[in-house]
């Protein structure tokens, strides 16, 4: 297991921690693959799973510090498969969110069955700010819980959706005082781990399949759209502006 992903097993509960605090737990290909391996192992050895981030963030999304090449280095189809595996996991999953859950990091959080947010945390789909579109299944995940116009609002504006609003929109399960998100997630996981696992699994899968009927086609549209957008001048400008800490000058090319 990579040092960018930590795994701890306590009784019947596995906790997976994204551990890149210097980048607010930004995700690269190595980190995604480590998350996927940890999720697979947890499904075999535990009765509940917690996914969280170290220190100040859940995840700030795809790593941009290496510029365009770093963002393009993520195998989006592979990342989608890992997100799909979390949705279809045979044990209940809980996301414990502090700080940002942004970009494809937001997709990871929303893929979990139960989302506990610190009152200081927020969800964000900032893709258009760098000339891209939402990915990681977020075009389906957000719309399924929050509705079309709210999904469009998040996708088109790239605004921060604070925890209280995420709860109101149906994107979070609970909002708890700052610093207590992981403790509360552990309490929820302990209850699930002691519950009727077969019934819990059947319930989550039935609800996911009823509400996420467009997920597979959304993955395909997102991959196709991102492939085209990553070849655009606007994407190169968006990443350059992000790294330079300035406003981008998009030209629609």
């Amino acid at each position: 297991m990579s040092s960018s992903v930590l795994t701890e097993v306590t009784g019947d509960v596995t906790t997976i921690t994204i551990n890149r605090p210097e980048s607010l737990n930004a995700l690269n290909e190595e980190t995604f693959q480590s998350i996927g391996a940890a999720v697979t192992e947890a499904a075999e050895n535990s009765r509940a799973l917690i996914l969280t981030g170290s220190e100040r963030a859940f995840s700030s999304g795809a790593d941009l510090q290496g510029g365009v090449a770093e963002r393009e280095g993520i195998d989006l189809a592979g990342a989608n498969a890992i997100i799909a595996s979390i949705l279809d996991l045979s044990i209940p999953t809980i996301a414990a969110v502090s700080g940002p859950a942004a970009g494809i990091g937001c997709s990871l959080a929303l893929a979990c069955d139960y989302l506990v947010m610190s009152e200081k945390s927020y969800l964000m789909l900032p893709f258009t700010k760098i000339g891209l579109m939402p990915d990681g299944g977020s075009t389906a995940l957000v719309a399924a819980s929050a509705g079309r116009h709210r999904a469009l609002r998040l996708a088109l504006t790239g605004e921060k959706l604070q925890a209280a609003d995420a709860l109101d929109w149906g994107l979070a399960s609970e909002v708890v005082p700052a610093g207590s998100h992981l403790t509360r997630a552990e309490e929820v996981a302990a209850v699930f781990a002691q519950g009727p696992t077969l019934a819990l699994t059947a319930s989550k899968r039935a609800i996911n399949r009823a509400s996420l009927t467009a997920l597979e086609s959304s993955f395909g549209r997102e991959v196709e759209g991102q492939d085209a957008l990553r070849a655009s001048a606007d994407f190169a400008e968006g990443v350059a502006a992000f790294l330079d800490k300035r406003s981008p000058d998009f030209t629609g090319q």
Side-chain angles (χ1 to χ4, degrees):
M1 195 67 61
S2 165
S3 61
S4 66
V5 174
L6 306 177
T7 302
E8 180 180 356
V9 179
T10 304
D12 290 324
V13 177
T14 292
T15 300
I16 299 172
T17 304
I18 306 168
N19 185 44
R20 303 187 72 211
E22 72 286 350
S23 62
L24 292 179
N25 301 321
L27 299 160
N28 56 23
E29 181 64 14
E30 178 191 18
T31 305
F32 252 115
Q33 292 304 315
S34 295
I35 291 171
V39 166
T40 299
E41 184 174 348
E44 296 173 353
N45 302 317
S46 296
R47 292 169 60 94
L49 168 67
I50 297 171
L51 181 61
T52 192
S54 62
E55 298 186 14
R56 298 178 294 131
F58 181 82
S59 172
S60 58
D63 196 344
L64 292 178
Q65 293 306 313
V68 169
E70 185 76 41
R71 181 60 173 81
E72 290 183 328
I74 291 180
D75 173 14
L76 183 54
N80 287 343
I82 291 168
I83 289 168
S85 74
I86 294 172
L87 280 159
D88 203 40
L89 207 62
S90 60
I91 58 176
T93 57
I94 304 98
V97 176
S98 64
I104 201 164
C106 181
S107 299
L108 277 174
L110 293 176
C112 293
D113 305 317
Y114 203 97
L115 204 164
V116 179
M117 296 185 69
S118 161
E119 63 186 359
K120 301 292 187 180
S121 66
Y122 60 88
L123 306 179
M124 188 179 186
L125 299 178
F127 296 92
T128 56
K129 295 180 181 295
I130 57 168
L132 292 179
M133 63 175 285
D135 59 24
S138 58
T139 57
L141 291 166
V142 175
S145 293
R148 172 175 171 261
H149 280 104
R150 283 173 166 172
L152 283 167
R153 174 174 161 179
L154 284 188
L156 299 181
T157 67
E159 68 179 287
K160 296 178 181 178
L161 185 70
Q162 301 297 331
D165 292 324
L167 181 65
D168 181 58
W169 285 22
L171 292 170
S173 306
E174 291 188 34
V175 174
V176 297
S180 65
H181 59 289
L182 185 54
T183 298
R184 178 55 185 154
E186 290 169 345
E187 293 171 351
V188 173
V191 172
F192 287 157
Q194 295 168 11
T197 305
L198 294 177
L200 294 174
T201 300
S203 298
K204 61 174 273 185
R205 286 181 173 170
I207 291 170
N208 283 340
R209 288 169 186 172
S211 59
L212 294 172
T213 56
L215 182 63
E216 283 300 322
S217 56
S218 294
F219 280 144
R221 283 190 292 268
E222 290 169 0
V223 170
E224 181 180 1
Q226 293 296 48
D227 283 348
L229 290 168
R230 288 190 295 196
S232 70
D234 275 353
F235 172 53
E237 166 62 11
V239 174
F242 172 83
L243 295 173
D244 293 343
K245 296 181 172 57
R246 60 175 173 82
S247 297
D249 182 16
F250 292 131
T251 61
Q253 297 180 327

